[in-house]
Amino acid sequence: SEDVIDLLSEEFEDDGRYHNIKNPVATTWLISFEQIQQRDRLAADYLSFMACIDSKAIPQSLLPAGLSTKKEIDAIGTLDAYSFITKRSADQALDIHRLVHLATRNWLRKQELITQWTEKAITRLEEVFPDDNHQNRSVWRIYLPHAQSVLKSDICEDLESRGKLAWRFGTCLLQDGRYNEAEKQFVEAYETEDRKS
């Protein structure tokens, strides 16, 4: 529908490079997304989930579990077939196209699902994010940009998961010698704790 396409196109206009292609991109995205929703529910869920984290180098281990490994592989295959994502062969990570990321976020806002999916992303990151044992450094470095991305957003109401993730993120930044950034996370974790009580 026209109003959905206008809404999906909103942020494209801010970026001069995309000014003239806003409607075709949004239209194509909407048609493709509706097809995916009908054919492969998990693929649609993955897209919604990925729209709430960083768009680059998404480890497949971060995606929520499907009913089976086959369903997970098929869902990633579906998104790849629609060119919504690109697979990085070396490290099994996925990139989601910036315009697809924007369009999906706008759609989630329009459907009033953005809070729900942001909370799912925070809960999932909190589940998989390792502690600050230096042996986990290679793992946490993969998850750091995604934790950072999701903690920047103010749309989460699940304060407990948010606070826990901010704390764990902070301890890993501390281990990496990123003291100023770590301090911000500890402040966030304390403030979140205050808002809860």
Side-chain angles (χ1 to χ4, degrees), residues 11-55:
E11 289 186 50
F12 298 167
E13 292 181 4
D14 301 340
D15 190 324
R17 282 175 302 171
Y18 299 126
H19 186 68
N20 295 327
I21 55 164
K22 60 162 194 154
N23 273 8
V25 169
T27 309
T28 307
W29 179 89
L30 190 61
I31 293 165
S32 302
F33 186 63
E34 284 172 347
Q35 287 173 348
I36 290 171
Q37 277 186 308
Q38 285 161 6
R39 288 181 197 166
D40 189 340
R41 190 69 239 178
L42 187 60
D45 284 354
Y46 277 176
L47 200 61
S48 301
F49 182 88
M50 287 191 267
C52 297
I53 55 179
D54 195 64
S55 61

Side-chain angles (χ1 to χ4, degrees), residues 168-183:
R168 213 172 300 177
F169 181 41
T171 58
C172 293
L173 288 171
L174 204 56
Q175 277 284 354
D176 269 348
R178 293 160 67 175
Y179 303 113
N180 293 349
E181 292 170 83
E183 186 186 9

Side-chain angles (χ1 to χ4, degrees), residues 143-188:
Y143 293 132
L144 278 178
H146 302 294
Q148 196 164 14
S149 172
V150 86
L151 287 167
K152 267 195 304 206
S153 130
D154 290 332
I155 33 191
C156 171
E157 289 164 13
D158 180 355
L159 296 179
E160 190 162 344
S161 291
R162 190 191 174 99
K164 280 184 188 164
L165 180 61
W167 186 263
R168 213 172 300 177
F169 181 41
T171 58
C172 293
L173 288 171
L174 204 56
Q175 277 284 354
D176 269 348
R178 293 160 67 175
Y179 303 113
N180 293 349
E181 292 170 83
E183 186 186 9
K184 276 192 198 123
Q185 293 310 318
F186 294 137
V187 168
E188 153 109 21

